[in-house]
């Protein structure tokens, strides 16, 4: 259902979304202030987690009913990655060199280990994992903000 790759201040997210037996393409990452938030898992649960984060991510208001069906990854301006799963307090990956999530993660880690960048690693995951799909949303972090582009192939 997804590939999320972070390397060298670049976050790449595919657009494959599965609901039941139907697959569609839609963006699952969004900028919220100076962060990039990506939800993956069940479609409705992802929407709920993103809405919770956009409303301030109050740990007391975490939507526990979706906890087993989705995760939320937030790229911080510092390069840290916060992973919310099963609660309103994130696991923090402190400025990781490489970090991958989703069904295509093993393929992406292999590509990164062979010298690929984040974009190329995500493309490889999409090529060999039927649950990941192009186009890709590419977010690059800079001292003065975040850039976004969509890459089709």
């Amino acid at each position: 259902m997804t590939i999320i790759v972070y390397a060298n201040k670049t976050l790449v997210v595919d657009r494959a979304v599965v609901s039941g037996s139907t697959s569609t393409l839609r963006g699952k990452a969004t900028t919220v202030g100076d962060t990039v938030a990506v939800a993956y898992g069940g479609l409705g649960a992802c929407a709920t987690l993103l809405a919770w984060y956009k409303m301030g991510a109050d740990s007391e208001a975490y939507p526990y009913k979706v906890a087993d069906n989705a995760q939320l990854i937030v790229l911080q301006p510092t390069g840290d990655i916060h992973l919310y799963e099963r609660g309103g307090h994130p696991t923090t990956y402190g400025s990781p060199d490489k970090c991958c999530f989703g069904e295509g993660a093993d393929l992406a880690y292999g590509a990164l280990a062979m010298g690929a960048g984040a974009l190329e690693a995500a493309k490889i995951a999409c090529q060999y994992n039927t649950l990941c799909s192009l186009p890709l949303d590419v977010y690059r972090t800079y001292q003065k903000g975040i850039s976004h582009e969509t890459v089709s192939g």
Side-chain angles (χ1 to χ4, degrees), residues 39-40 44-54 62-63 66-67 69-72 84:
Y40 72 102
C46 287
T48 301
L49 279 176
L50 282 170
W52 168 78
Y53 185 74
K54 288 177 181 178
Y62 183 81
V66 302
N69 198 21
Q71 290 79 38
L72 180 68
Y84 292 90

Side-chain angles (χ1 to χ4, degrees), residues 118-137:
L119 178 58
E120 186 179 4
K123 285 181 178 182
I124 289 168
C126 289
Q127 181 178 355
Y128 292 103
N129 186 307
T130 59
L131 298 175
C132 306
S133 184
L134 298 171
L136 301 168
D137 286 313

